[in-house]
Each structure stands twice: as C-alpha cells, then as structure tokens.
Amino acid sequence: MTQRILLTGATGFVGHAVSRRLLDRGDQVTALVRQRGAVVSGVAEWLAPANDFADVEQHCPPDLACDVVIHLAARVHVMNDHSSDPLAAYRETNVEGMLRVAGAARRTGARRFVFVSSIKAVGESSEGREPLSELVPPQPEDPYGISKLEAERALTAYGRRCGLEVVIVRPPLVYGPTVRANFLQLMNAIARGVPLPLGRIEARRSMIFVNNLADALVHCASERRAAGGLFHVSDGHDLSVSELARMLAWQLQAPARFPSVPPGLLRLAGRLTGRSAQVGRLLDELRVDSSHITDTLGWRPPYTVEQGLLETASWYRATH
C-alpha cells in the first residue's frame, strides 16, 4: 500500500537514497527543507527555513497530510567543533528539533514516526563482547551519541502520550555514492597511494550501504509489525579494517599500501598525539547484531557489502 511520507534530511546522501526508494514504491514524498531545489526529482518541498525546525509547528501547510514521518535530519559529528557547549548544541537539533518535527507530524495526521538514530547511542565499541544487540544497555561516550539516546527516549515518551507509533533505527557507519566525512577521506588517501598503517588491524566494524539503509527504513515505515520497534541494521557482513582498505584499493584500482604496524604502537602514537579516540575507532571492534529486524520484519539487506563498495568506488572514480 502506498503512503504519504514526510521526510527530513532529504537533501543529504541518505535522504536522496530514501527518496528514490519511496518513489519507486509509488509513495507520495514531501521533504521538509531549509532551501529549495536540492531534493530528488518527484519529491515535493515544504520550506521551513528556521534553524532546528524552530517554527515548524506554527507553519504547517494546511493542506499537507501524511501517514508517516522519516526523520533523518540531525546535527552530526562536527570537525573542530568550537561550540562553548557542544552537548547543548547537539541537544537543540537532535532532541528539541526532533520533538518539534514530531509535533508537526501530529498536525498532519501522521500515525508513525521513524527516527534514524545511531549505534553511537549505544556506544563506541563492542570490543570483548558479542555484536551489539538492542538489549545492550546504552553507554554513549560523546555528545552526538548522548543526544541521540536522549532523542530516542524523548520521542518514545512523546509517542506514548500522543498515540504516535515510534520506530527507532540505529545504523552504524553509512557509506555509498556521494558519501562524505571520514569514508571519503579514506578513499582519497587510498586513491592517491598514501601509505596507511592498516595492514594489521583485524578489528571488525559493521557498516551499512546507503541503499540497504533506505530499504530498511521503508520496511520500518510500511510494516505493521514495526510499530514500537527498536532495530539495529547493518550489511550483515563485517569487514576488518584491513579487509575494507584492501577491497577499496582493488575497486579503486589503486596500489594497496598498508604497512603492518602493530596495534600497540598505533595506540601509543594516539596517546602521544592526543588522538586516542580516533585511533580507538580504528582498532576497536564495533559490530552490530541486526538479527532482530530480520526476525521481526523479515528484512534482509538487498545488497552485499561487495556490491555496496563497488557502487561507491565506481562513483568515486567517475567524479574524482
């Protein structure tokens, strides 16, 4: 059954993938945006230019009706964040802004709110443990993860009060064509043949291809059994850091220059340079158990990690 979807974060690379997946289904998609013109063709726009959706409840179009909201918009990791209170800045967007969108969703008649959180709401590592399931007690470690967990809890409470079905999805690292941030920096370095000390890093890190995430979100928006659910999602095949680097080098047709540096030396270098957290994200495992969404909704990633990386590398080679 087709639905009327209100989508935030529609101008980002995940938003584009979700838009295309919804349109392919025949859904009617309206994007809540700050600037016009950056959405996928076929998506309608609702302009709400204020920061953090400050005016969104008061300026809801009277003729807008929707069944489901998919909330992608967020303040994500900010490099060299100079905020005097970073946690407050994350909360203003990721908690308060999200609640404003939830309030607007009720005005449009939405019955369900799909909130895209992050595995960082649980923690930074699964080192020494089984892959992280939805039953693991959350212990977020940075302002982003803390704000995402607070948003989950605030939205769940709001949904109980107002009768709004809440579905929470926690992806790990998302990659795919037009990806930015650390994944793009990694591809840049590999494509240039820069030696990277990744040859002995056997820690496995869960990831999810952007089209797999889009497909999972469509299931969460449309499946009756998803109501009230909390779901971890991934590609289902966790590569080690060294395997990821070698696979990207092969697909980018670049030399595989990955010296085998002992992890202990890398941790020491991280401490000496004040970059222990960044090094830890390379050396510590962060694996996600996505069996719950499979058991509950019958969802399985439609693309393998090899297919996802190949599409990402093909985009990179065509555009860089």
Side-chain angles (χ1 to χ4, degrees), residues 8 17 28 134:
T8 71
Q28 177 183 319
E134 294 82 356

Side-chain angles (χ1 to χ4, degrees), residues 145-208:
I146 292 168
S147 71
K148 281 294 195 178
L149 180 62
E150 291 179 350
E152 292 179 8
R153 291 172 172 171
L155 179 61
T156 299
Y158 179 86
R160 290 197 190 104
R161 291 196 308 271
C162 300
L164 183 67
E165 295 177 358
V166 171
V167 186
I168 296 169
V169 180
R170 291 175 177 161
L173 172 69
V174 185
Y175 68 96
T178 74
V179 67
R180 295 291 182 262
N182 291 337
F183 203 92
L184 179 59
Q185 292 179 12
L186 175 62
M187 288 197 294
N188 283 336
I190 291 173
R192 295 197 308 267
V194 176
L196 301 172
L198 307 179
R200 287 180 58 177
I201 301 181
E202 299 307 318
R204 295 187 177 274
R205 310 279 297 189
S206 292
M207 305 186 301
I208 187 164

Side-chain angles (χ1 to χ4, degrees), residues 17-278:
V18 173
S19 297
R20 287 190 291 266
R21 182 68 183 85
L22 292 169
L23 293 172
D24 286 346
R25 266 177 41 93
D27 291 323
Q28 177 183 319
V29 184
T30 299
L32 180 54
V33 297
R34 290 185 59 194
Q35 294 181 335
R36 296 192 185 277
V39 298
V40 170
S41 177
V43 172
E45 294 176 317
W46 167 13
L47 185 64
N51 289 336
D52 301 322
F53 305 105
D55 63 349
V56 69
E57 292 181 70
Q58 291 72 36
H59 294 84
C60 185
D63 59 343
L64 177 64
C66 79
D67 304 305
V68 179
V69 176
I70 300 177
H71 186 61
L72 289 166
R75 179 183 174 90
V76 296
H77 292 285
V78 179
M79 300 298 291
N80 302 315
D81 192 346
H82 299 298
S83 300
S84 58
D85 188 347
L87 181 55
Y90 279 104
R91 282 172 170 156
E92 182 60 27
T93 301
N94 296 347
V95 183
E96 300 305 325
M98 176 275 301
L99 287 173
R100 293 177 189 121
V101 174
R106 294 298 295 155
R107 288 176 179 263
T108 68
R111 70 177 189 280
R112 180 174 294 186
F113 194 105
V114 179
F115 176 58
V116 182
S117 182
S118 168
I119 199 61
K120 288 181 177 289
V122 182
E124 295 286 344
S125 170
S126 60
E127 194 74 18
R129 297 183 284 178
E130 294 295 315
L132 299 178
S133 76
E134 294 82 356
L135 300 178
V136 172
Q139 294 181 310
E141 298 180 15
D142 66 3
Y144 172 71
I146 292 168
S147 71
K148 281 294 195 178
L149 180 62
E150 291 179 350
E152 292 179 8
R153 291 172 172 171
L155 179 61
T156 299
Y158 179 86
R160 290 197 190 104
R161 291 196 308 271
C162 300
L164 183 67
E165 295 177 358
V166 171
V167 186
I168 296 169
V169 180
R170 291 175 177 161
L173 172 69
V174 185
Y175 68 96
T178 74
V179 67
R180 295 291 182 262
N182 291 337
F183 203 92
L184 179 59
Q185 292 179 12
L186 175 62
M187 288 197 294
N188 283 336
I190 291 173
R192 295 197 308 267
V194 176
L196 301 172
L198 307 179
R200 287 180 58 177
I201 301 181
E202 299 307 318
R204 295 187 177 274
R205 310 279 297 189
S206 292
M207 305 186 301
I208 187 164
F209 179 45
V210 66
N211 289 343
N212 285 338
L213 177 56
D215 191 74
L217 294 177
V218 168
H219 276 71
C220 289
S222 58
E223 291 278 354
R224 177 184 56 81
R225 294 168 294 176
L230 168 63
F231 301 111
H232 291 182
V233 293
S234 77
D235 284 339
H237 179 188
D238 301 333
L239 300 174
S240 71
V241 173
S242 61
E243 287 172 337
L244 171 61
R246 295 182 198 285
M247 190 173 293
L248 281 173
W250 180 72
Q251 291 177 338
L252 291 169
Q253 299 181 6
R257 293 175 176 159
F258 308 120
S260 295
V261 179
L265 285 180
L266 292 175
R267 289 191 190 277
L268 176 59
R271 289 194 295 271
L272 293 175
T273 59
R275 299 173 65 86
S276 292
Q278 293 92 324

